[in-house]
Amino acid sequence: MKTVLVLGGTGEARALAAALAGVRVISSLAGRVADPKLPDGEVRVGGFGGVEGLVAYLRAERVDAVVDATHPFADRITANALAATTATGTPFLVLRRPGWPPEDGWEYVDSVAEAAALVAGRRAFITTGRQELGAFTGGVARTVDPPDPPNPRLRLVLDRGPYTVDGELALMREHRVEVLVTKDSGGPMTAAKLTAARHLGIPVVVVRRPPPPDAPMVETVAEAVDRLTRGSGVA
């Protein structure tokens, strides 16, 4: 039986683990969420110890292919995975959902810090995750788990998607939001906020994705299954 290592706790990663029949699937989660949704099959949690640690793991587990299905902004693990698979000669595939199509009223920036500077002085609804909230000087931030360290200048809403348009409208009205800040995560799970912002005429600041890795890439689980079972002969 072949072994496939799937990196990431995204919905696509869980769907891929469930779809790969007849394959030993090991799903690797970063461990940043306190109570993650677990995929089917074997699961490991935590980092590998950089490129060298991942190289050792691939060899120890005799991994036949690696699929990077991490969040589009998890560029460090993507870089490490590309380096480790190159070093070991292990087939590597990136599964990335497409970003959201740009709309009128959206302004793109290259970093969360740039977004924070752009919205300073306005009541922002911040949905960039908990890692870089220290750059913001006000507004309401929504995260799955509390940020560490906390930012006392922000109101905090703890919640996990998928979200509804009605719920997003109510939240934006309650907090009198003047601008939405988001990363270009793509996908339907968190897209309701964009519909709500459009309905209310609220501008959107979008953090661009990091550059894609120099590796084979697909956008859907079905494409990944096809590549793994036919393209690379993994199954």
Side-chain angles (χ1 to χ4, degrees):
M1 180 179 292
K2 302 296 185 179
T3 298
V4 176
L5 176 64
V6 178
L7 305 174
T10 60
E12 291 84 2
R14 293 191 297 272
L16 180 60
L20 286 174
V23 177
R24 179 195 177 203
V25 179
I26 307 172
S27 296
S28 178
L29 311 183
R32 292 179 178 174
V33 177
D35 185 23
K37 297 178 181 178
L38 297 179
D40 295 343
E42 297 179 41
V43 179
R44 68 173 300 281
V45 178
F48 290 95
V51 175
E52 291 184 0
L54 182 52
V55 165
Y57 185 87
L58 296 179
R59 289 172 173 160
E61 296 295 332
R62 298 183 178 180
V63 172
D64 296 285
V66 176
V67 180
D68 173 14
T70 57
H71 190 276
F73 284 80
D75 52 338
R76 179 177 297 179
I77 183 60
T78 296
N80 287 351
L82 178 58
T85 53
T86 299
T88 57
T90 307
F92 181 53
L93 180 66
V94 179
L95 171 56
R96 283 285 187 279
R97 56 182 178 261
W100 291 307
E103 297 185 16
D104 293 339
W106 289 14
E107 184 168 356
Y108 282 82
V109 295
D110 291 322
S111 68
V112 172
E114 187 178 344
L118 187 62
V119 303
R122 289 184 281 174
R123 288 188 294 274
F125 178 28
I126 305 157
T127 62
T128 57
R130 63 176 182 155
Q131 299 298 318
E132 301 169 88
L133 291 181
F136 292 91
T137 58
V140 55
R142 182 172 63 202
T143 63
V144 175
D145 295 314
D148 185 18
N151 183 343
R153 297 169 294 185
L154 301 179
R155 295 184 180 181
L156 188 63
V157 175
L158 297 181
D159 199 3
R160 185 197 301 264
Y163 305 102
T164 66
V165 174
D166 286 345
E168 300 291 60
L169 285 169
L171 187 151
M172 292 183 188
R173 285 169 174 152
E174 176 187 354
H175 294 281
R176 297 177 295 137
V177 169
E178 296 175 325
V179 60
L180 169 65
V181 182
T182 182
K183 291 179 174 178
D184 187 16
S185 301
M189 181 172 286
T190 61
K193 62 191 175 187
L194 303 173
T195 303
R198 186 188 318 122
H199 179 81
L200 296 173
I202 293 173
V204 180
V205 175
V206 184
V207 181
R208 293 186 183 91
R209 294 183 175 191
D214 184 15
M217 185 176 301
V218 295
E219 294 184 343
T220 69
V221 172
E223 290 176 299
V225 171
D226 182 67
R227 290 287 292 269
L228 289 167
T229 57
R230 292 197 305 164
S232 63
V234 170

